[in-house]
Amino acid sequence: MKPPAFRYHAPTDLAEALDALAEVGHDGKVLAGGQSLIPMLNMRLAAPAHLVDINGLGELAYVRTDPGGVAVGALARHAEVEADEAAHAVVPLLRQGLRLVAHPVIRNRGTTVGSLAHADPSGEMTAVLALLGGSMTLARKGGTRTVAAEDFFVGPLEASIEEGELAVAAYFPRLPGRTGTEFVEIARRHGDYAMCGVAAAVTVDDDLRIVSARAAYLSLSPVPLVLDLTDALIGRTADTAVWQDAATLAAGSLEPEGDIHATAEYRAQLAGVLTVRALRTATERAALVDPNGNTGTTSTERSAR
Amino acid sequence: MTETQIPTEQRLDIRLSVNGVPHTTTVTPRRLLSDCLRHDLGLTGTHVGCEHGVCGACTVRVDGKPMRACLMFAVSAQGHEITTVEGLAEPDGTMHPVQQAFRECHGLQCGFCTPGFLTVVSAFLEENPTPTEEEAREAVSGNLCRCTGYQNIVKSVLRAAEITEERKGCAHAEGDAR
Ligand SMILES: Cc1cc2nc3c(=O)[nH]c(=O)nc-3n(C[C@H](O)[C@H](O)[C@H](O)COP(=O)(O)OP(=O)(O)OC[C@H]3O[C@@H](n4cnc5c(N)ncnc54)[C@H](O)[C@@H]3O)c2cc1C
Ligand code: FES
Ligand code: FES
């Protein structure tokens, strides 16, 4: 099908974009990579009267890494963030999640900030931002505000972005200490949205005993769900942990719903299995982290690249 | 008589560079790049299947990177170099290694999906000239083919890598002979 008619705005800098968004108000939508918006237009599921295309805002096409984390500008494509070595060194969970976002061809155009703004509870980046406790910077004509991940995701496809606002950047903080991460999911076909996905972050102490374990769930709840599973694993190492205890603890807080792709029971089963896989790998990686250095990948992964 | 006001749709003059050739045309902003290529510029090599990014038939290269032409507006393609399947062969008609490989290995049957595969695979082999079978499979996983069962497509990707290497070898040999 074909998109409905709209008026097209092509600002060339941020100030111009904010002017345009202020002017069009609730009739307007931002066009970033278009990898979610254009399918919706093509299928006539959305019909905004104005589109403000931000692809001319080269100033927002950045991935900036500092010792505290990674800032991703609104025009950084998924593929650029995924390929960024400095970002990977500081926040390995970004690449671990991005490789599961659609196919490489979609990642060449889709933006990481756009996928957060889209707030799809099946989107990998929503789980990553939530697990890391990251934040979004939103700008409007005459002001800027920062919103924490937990307040940013309001419901399925609903983020706390107000009329006239542009999400200019996302911030993914680095997890401190000996922390390892992993992102795993099961989709019907490689590259599809996941039926269930789990991102995990585990911190160990100098004796490699678990001091903190958390997991974020994908496609299971209206907004990304982060669970603290430390109680089931505290004091254990990768070798002595009883992973099933963590899965059981998680199961008590998960209320999966069924749909045409997977029944509720099947999704619950997937969540348990993936919780174990993600936590185990994250714990193994945590042991390899040099708390003063900045890698969270295993040596084999490093040599494979 | 009262006149009803029918709003006129915005029309924009755009300049596109496709396969190295500059084109000018006038489009509405909602004109998809895939439709602009096919209907306005007559480049019907780019095929359209699903129009929501799933099948990959419409894939073209934008500044070298494969992207879905059904998920881009023609207006947004200005200032970028577009390569369609028509732009893959040499100017003298010599097939691109990927085209030759698909022909040799029966990588196509009806051919509907083929332009999308060729644009994706041509870009993939520039990044990874010596893929494993697994990598080749992964590289084409975003494209659907309703005919081949994919085995011959994967073979074609591996064969295309060989042909590229062979041609380099020939070029060197010719160079040495001179
Ligand atoms: C076949 C296919 C498979 C996919 N599979 C996955 C998948 O497995 N996982 C996944 O996470 N995603 C998937 N996607 C979506 C893809 O990741 C998109 O890149 C992403 O969801 C949206 O980013 P975008 O830049 O394309 O945004 P757009 O499509 O341009 O915009 C999406 C929405 O966000 C708003 N928006 C975008 N940027 C901003 C901004 N800066 N400020 C305010 N609002 C903004 C838009 O107005 C719109 O409402 C898939 C897409 C396709 C076509
Ligand atoms: S027509 Fe573009 S992906 Fe199917
Ligand atoms: S050859 Fe017919 S769809 Fe692929």
Side-chain angles (χ1 to χ4, degrees):
Chain A
M1 278 201 279
K2 306 300 173 191
F6 55 81
R7 196 151 187 96
Y8 179 73
H9 305 259
T12 53
D13 64 33
L14 180 59
E16 234 181 274
L18 298 181
D19 281 344
L21 282 170
E23 192 187 311
V24 300
H26 74 278
D27 283 338
K29 266 208 166 292
V30 172
L31 171 67
Q35 303 301 288
S36 292
L37 183 57
I38 300 181
M40 291 206 294
L41 297 174
N42 286 356
M43 293 188 276
R44 303 265 170 141
L45 295 172
H50 298 265
L51 282 191
V52 179
D53 184 345
I54 60 166
N55 286 279
L57 274 56
E59 60 191 301
L60 298 182
Y62 61 83
V63 182
R64 282 185 204 133
T65 301
D66 60 59
V70 179
V72 175
L75 206 57
R77 315 281 172 185
H78 289 311
E80 289 160 359
V81 184
E82 185 184 3
D84 196 291
E85 292 300 339
H88 178 60
V90 170
V91 183
L93 186 60
L94 264 175
R95 183 181 287 168
Q96 289 158 5
L98 280 166
R99 71 178 208 284
L100 301 170
V101 174
H103 303 284
V105 177
I106 307 289
R107 300 204 288 272
N108 280 341
R109 184 99 191 141
T111 66
T112 299
V113 169
S115 116
L116 293 163
H118 190 52
D120 188 330
S122 327
E124 287 77 6
M125 290 302 105
T126 60
V128 168
L129 195 79
L131 184 67
L132 298 176
S135 60
M136 299 291 287
T137 305
L138 308 176
R140 61 160 57 249
K141 202 178 168 177
T144 299
R145 65 185 178 120
T146 301
V147 182
E150 54 183 359
D151 301 319
F152 184 69
F153 302 110
V154 183
L157 304 187
E158 202 187 339
S160 60
I161 300 178
E162 282 164 19
E163 233 176 86
E165 271 185 332
L166 179 73
V168 287
Y171 191 73
F172 299 91
R174 171 190 186 169
L175 295 173
R178 283 187 198 270
T179 303
T181 55
E182 169 67 330
F183 205 131
V184 288
E185 67 178 36
I186 302 274
R188 285 189 310 152
R189 279 173 316 177
H190 177 84
D192 276 6
Y193 281 102
M195 290 187 289
C196 177
V198 181
V202 176
T203 307
V204 299
D205 62 16
D206 289 344
D207 299 327
L208 308 187
R209 292 181 191 284
I210 295 171
V211 291
S212 150
R214 291 179 312 122
Y217 293 82
L218 205 63
S219 304
L220 284 189
S221 48
V223 295
L225 176 70
V226 181
L227 297 180
D228 191 335
L229 304 174
T230 310
D231 283 352
L233 298 169
I234 193 151
R236 305 280 185 161
T237 65
D239 294 331
T240 62
V242 183
W243 303 108
Q244 194 52 43
D245 287 354
T248 308
L249 180 63
S253 307
L254 296 173
E255 290 168 6
E257 283 184 24
D259 61 21
I260 54 164
H261 304 309
T263 61
E265 293 74 22
Y266 181 47
R267 250 181 242 271
Q269 171 74 15
L270 288 180
V273 171
L274 294 177
T275 299
V276 170
R277 282 187 201 164
L279 286 170
R280 181 188 289 139
T281 306
T283 310
E284 286 164 1
R285 285 190 180 140
L288 300 167
V289 170
D290 166 3
N292 305 312
N294 50 19
T295 79
T297 39
T298 63
S299 52
T300 43
E301 279 169 328
R302 253 175 276 137
S303 59
R305 286 215 177 84
Chain B
M1 211 172 82
T2 54
E3 274 183 46
T4 34
Q5 197 84 46
I6 299 172
T8 46
E9 200 175 340
Q10 193 182 6
R11 295 181 71 80
L12 301 163
D13 295 326
I14 61 167
R15 264 187 298 199
L16 291 185
S17 173
V18 186
N19 303 326
V21 181
H23 296 266
T24 52
T25 182
T26 306
V27 293
T28 58
R30 62 174 158 149
R31 191 66 151 171
L32 297 172
L33 177 59
S34 44
D35 288 334
C36 179
L37 291 169
R38 292 177 56 82
H39 302 297
D40 303 335
L41 308 185
L43 294 166
T44 52
T46 299
H47 291 173
V48 170
C50 65
E51 288 192 334
H52 60 275
V54 173
C55 73
C58 67
T59 311
V60 299
R61 294 178 64 174
V62 180
D63 298 331
K65 294 193 184 107
M67 291 186 188
R68 300 290 200 237
C70 75
L71 299 187
M72 272 182 79
F73 292 116
V75 283
S76 322
Q78 296 190 87
H80 298 279
E81 180 55 44
I82 310 297
T83 310
T84 65
V85 69
E86 287 96 341
L88 291 183
E90 300 288 333
D92 70 357
T94 308
M95 280 193 277
H96 188 282
V98 184
Q99 291 170 310
Q100 192 187 323
F102 268 67
R103 177 168 159 177
E104 282 178 20
C105 303
H106 306 285
L108 69 150
Q109 287 177 26
C110 78
F112 193 83
C113 67
T114 311
F117 276 99
L118 297 179
T119 46
V120 166
V121 175
S122 65
F124 167 69
L125 290 177
E126 285 168 22
E127 249 176 53
N128 183 351
T130 52
T132 62
E133 186 185 326
E134 187 59 35
E135 288 165 344
R137 210 169 272 286
E138 163 109 28
V140 297
S141 67
N143 290 57
L144 296 180
C145 174
R146 285 300 179 238
C147 301
T148 65
Y150 302 105
Q151 301 296 356
N152 288 343
I153 293 181
V154 172
K155 265 188 226 155
S156 305
V157 178
L158 298 173
R159 177 69 190 129
E162 280 173 19
I163 297 172
T164 312
E165 198 49 36
E166 284 165 19
R167 287 196 191 168
K168 267 194 221 147
C170 291
H172 286 157
E174 273 169 35
D176 292 347
R178 269 188 218 118

